Amino acid sequence: MSAVIPGESELPGLVRSASREPRRRLAVAGTLNFRDVGGYPVAGGGQIRWRTLLRSDGLERLGTAAGHELAGLNLRTVLDLRTAAEARLAPSPVEELARLGALTMHLNLLGEDLEDLPYELGAIYDFIIDRRGAQIGAAIRALARPAEIGRAHV
C-alpha cells in the first residue's frame, strides 16, 4: 500500500500553472529555452524562489557578447552538464563567466560511453536517474551552497 501525500492530486495542476508563468522565460539572445525554475512547487509545500535556479539549452550558440549578458544575471554557479566531447566541439561562454567570478563546473550527466544510452528522451532521463546518481548529487551540492543562483546547461 502506497502512502498518500497531502495535496498530491493537486501537483499536476500546480506544475502546469507554474510552467505558464510569464516570468518563466528569460530573453537571452541565441537561446531557445532559457528559463527560471522559480515558482515550481516543492515537497512539503512552498515553491522554488524566483531567480535562484535558472536552466538553459545550448549556450554554445551565444555570441561573444553573451558572457556579459549572462553576467548581468549575477550567476554565481554554472554547471555544464554536457559530455567532454560536446564541450570541446561546441564551446560556450562558461569560461567568460568564470573570469567574471562565477564558479563553473563540468558535470557530465550522461557519461562518456554512450553505447548504453537509450534513444527516447524519457528513457534518457530514467538512465540519468538510475545510473548517474553521483553526478546528480554533485550538481545538487554545488547548487545548494548558501546564497547561490545557479544555472544548469544541458
Side-chain angles (χ1 to χ4, degrees), residues 52-104:
T52 57
L53 181 61
L54 309 175
R55 61 101 38 227
S56 179
D57 60 336
L59 293 183
E60 71 276 0
R61 292 188 301 271
L62 300 179
T64 54
H68 293 290
E69 184 177 357
L70 294 175
L73 295 171
N74 296 317
L75 300 175
R76 292 194 177 68
T77 304
V78 179
L79 305 179
D80 187 338
L81 304 177
R82 300 176 297 163
T83 65
E86 289 174 304
R88 277 192 309 275
L89 290 171
S92 73
V94 168
E95 294 77 24
E96 175 68 15
L97 293 170
R99 283 191 295 278
L100 295 170
L103 169 66
T104 61

Side-chain angles (χ1 to χ4, degrees), residues 19-48:
S19 67
R20 290 189 292 266
E21 166 67 47
R23 297 179 284 176
R24 177 89 40 231
R25 302 246 178 227
L26 301 173
V28 175
T31 64
L32 302 174
N33 193 13
F34 198 111
R35 64 184 188 263
D36 192 328
V37 182
Y40 283 109
V42 296
Q47 63 182 359
I48 298 172

Side-chain angles (χ1 to χ4, degrees), residues 123-146:
I124 290 172
Y125 289 138
D126 288 341
F127 174 90
I128 292 169
I129 290 168
D130 292 342
R131 299 193 187 179
R132 305 297 287 172
Q135 289 74 15
I136 293 169
I140 292 169
R141 282 189 300 279
L143 294 173
R145 294 177 317 138

Side-chain angles (χ1 to χ4, degrees), residues 83-85 108-118 127 131-132:
T83 65
N108 178 353
L109 285 185
L110 298 178
E112 294 302 328
D113 181 9
L114 304 179
E115 292 291 320
D116 293 333
L117 193 65
F127 174 90
R131 299 193 187 179
R132 305 297 287 172

